Amino acid sequence: MKTLYSERRYVISIIMIAIGVIFVVRLFYLQIIDDSYKASADRNVLRVLPQYPARGLIYDRNGKILVHNEATYDLMVVPKEVKNIDTASLCHIIGINNETYNSRLEKARNYSNYAPSIFEREIPQELYGFLQEKLSNFPGFYILARTLRKYPYNIAAHTLGYIGEVNQDVLDNDSYYKPGDYIGVSGIEKSYEKELRGKKGVKIMMVDVFNREKGSFRNGLYDTVSVVGQDLTTTLDADLQAYGEELMKNKRGSIVAIEPRTGEILALVSSPSYDPNLLAGHDRSKNYFKLLKDIKQKPLFNRALMATYPPGSTFKIMNALIGQQLGVLYPSTRFPCSLGFHMGIVDVKCHSHPSPCNLEESIQNSCNSYYCYAFKAIIEKLGAKNTKTSFNVWRDIVMSFGFGKKFHNDLPNELAGNIPTADYYDKIHGTNVWRALTIISLGIGQGEITVTPLQLANFTAVIANRGYYYIPHIVKGIGTSKFIDKKYTTKQIVKIDSGYFDAVLEGMRLVIDAGTGAGGKIEKIKMGGKTGTAQNPHGEPHSIFILIAPLDNPKIVLSVIVENGGWGADWAVPIASLMVEKYLNGVVKRVDMEKKMTEGSVYYP
Amino acid sequence: MREQKNIFSNIDWITVGIYLALVTIGWLNIYASVYSEDHNNIFDFSQIFGKQMIWIACAIVISLIILSIDIKFFPAFANYIYAFVMLLLIAVLLLGNVTAGSKSWFLIGSFKLQPAEFAKLATTLALAKYLSTIDIKIQDIKTKMISFLILGFPAGLILLQNDTGSALVYISFVFLLYREGLSGNVLIIGLVAIVLFLLTLLIDKFIIIGVLAGIALILFFYIRKRRKEIITLIGIFLLTAGSVYMVDYVYNNVLEPHQRNRIAVLIGKETDLKGVAYNVNQSKIAIGSGGFFGKGFLQGTQTKFDFVPARSTDFIYCTVGEEWGFAGSAVVIALYVMLFLRIIKLAERQRSVFSRIYGYGVASILFFHFMINIAMTIGLAPVIGIPLPFISYGGSSLWAFTILLFIFVKQDACRLQLL
Ligand SMILES: [Zn+2]
């Protein structure tokens, strides 16, 4: 039927035909002319091989390698490509039975028929060569090289952490990881995962039906290069760390050593510990569950960061500082002690010592009565009934030392400890009915207050620095740069003026020279320390000691806690003292003391 | 006039045959694209090929219903259908579900209804109805304005849904308008605009403006005696130079980064094959690896494994290319071109102007989808997410295309009843 403009149908038809022809020509080019896209006659398949970069190495502060990599080989399988293979022979080579073979293949198939899965992990070096030769008999199987973490010194297991296979949770939330990938699970491996892992790459290989790799697909056009992980320089001193672990053998507890000038952690010992290599090799998961099941020793538990204790007498220093800051206590202030503090129904015992003490002597003798009076003065400063306001002032100053909160530093899983709040006392005693005497045990570091060994070491650093600290951290350099997060180089100033530290430092010197810490004296090194005992309902009290050395130019501060170690002087004092000798002198001359500590063990109920 | 015996009498079996062939090809390739040994039952309704089978069955029922509806229904209700679908478009903007950045779905149970798919149909009906009114002349400014309004309103709403691909489809009505008498310059202007657009992105805009100025000068030399043409020439020069500037500005300042990237990939500016160009390259690899006869049904490796994105919807043609090779891919293209030519042939034999215009609308829409989708998968157009008619997975689009086509089949079957 002819209508107006009817001839235009031809223009439109020609355009449509032209587009069709252009498409066919283009397809002809893509599918026939251009070889690079075409599968060859024997039906090559492409195999996407993830390229795992070497994970960054971890060094100690002096350049000693704490963690390095060792090559390992995983046998991979692509279920779709597995055809007519000699199952028995493969099972024989890798030492599994037929059932295991079938169940593994089934598992791989459930994940994906086309994507590779790990069939056998970490094939030993000697088997690798043999298997590689035989591989052409087993289409669908191939070997993927990766690296295994190795720990040459067997130290700092908790701090370094370990790597493990990613779990479903990570897979769901981070598309970087694919099933079978490894990720830092704890310690530095976790907190610096992004720096250490580098960047995965991808290599696309063509593989023929005989399972032979026929070269890179399109000359690597679609490959991505992997980027090697960055090395980390930790603040740890490997020798000191190893020595600390040696001293803590057969005891429970921790040693935290910090360089007060920088906040760098020199040693972080948690005992009992484990050989970090156990969680890196072939039997990782078996070993892990073995460690996990040891509920008596709890070797996986990092006491240095996660155990909380009442600080005991070491906390008297805190109250001495706060008292001075608030103007209720002076170095010359004396309080009486008649074998304790007796007031109303309150009865706090003390041991026999010359009395009344001034501030320095009170630290030297660790007088309980003195600090009950001092704490009472602090809490009653604004009137005997205005407890809450004064308590909040006290708490605010305590918190400024890093107590009662997390540092949020580069060590995962730290705990915050506990500095009780006024609300808490309102709740248990009733609003505004609690008074200084109600909470008097805070004066001597007992009661609801708990701290971690790391916080206690940091507290010691503040005293050594006379009023400030740097957030304790474990890494001082990433890659080739010395740059670390600015928060670790920012001075944290506490709410005590520096002048008030003189008297307590003098008191701490007396502790070493003629007090409860006299057993830790080292020739030619002037030190200051404070013992403590944390009451423990289960058996002997925990032995606590904090130490600054040298006192005039502090290079190291320590907190040592030996659980159920009795009085500070029994275990914590000699261990801290030996650590200082090791760090400052390099060699330990007090071999008898060393022997007694390393060989001694503490009884645990 | 003779009475119709049954709904199948006089229907054009060539059109219906091609339709059934394409739907079947689509279903087989959707099955192949997600095939795995774990899910190998082709009637497994939890898998998309099982669902597609339900959509196909429904589509056939729908086509039978349309064939039995009175021939006068669609011309008579065209405007109401248009109004209703426009309301749906507005509603989806306000109440719809967001998927992949586009707010274009209604979720009804597990079925996703996409009003934009049905808007093309409604617009074709409304436009055919308007242009077939007696005494209408497309040369009139008023006619042009109203026609563009009918097109522009749904296109604008769909753009607001952030579904650029579906909005672009409305450009296809240029063919329909051209057939009905709109100046042939539309096609030429369109072509020049596309060429200038691509050139501007490839070459510095000052060079292009310089070249344009040069051409204008040479032309000026030839026509310097004729004042009227000089004014036209200056006008054209200013217009083209201005649009070159505009394109540059729009490209750099208006387009979203992902849109800019897609165009950059197409014109070869962006060569980061792992990043932006990934989709297109994976698609080309899959098709290219098919060779002449393909790898065979269910034997494709590229499309099944994660390489090709959207492998059962927008990139379904990759599966065809990989498993059926050049032979199969060319057959699919031939089927489409035959369908378009057949529809045009049928349209020209209509006595009713409404039926003819509607037929051209059907051909234009199907052609535009075909052109953009396949050009995208073989790397000749930027990645624009629109389905391949009858083949891509999805209930909304299959039903919309089926209704679109079968209204025309019905009109054609009863062409003798109409004047
Ligand atoms: Zn006393």
Side-chain angles (χ1 to χ4, degrees), chain A residues 337 340 350-351 353 367-369:
Chain A
C337 174
C350 193
H351 56 100
H353 61 82
C367 177
N368 285 343
S369 175

Side-chain angles (χ1 to χ4, degrees), chain A residues 3 5 8 31 37 223, chain B residues 139 178-179 182 274 289 326:
Chain A
T3 55
Y5 301 117
R8 287 191 171 184
Q31 298 184 302
Y37 291 118
D223 297 357
Chain B
Q139 285 78 7
Y178 170 71
R179 165 61 185 84
L182 198 67
K274 288 102 206 172
S289 69
F326 175 73

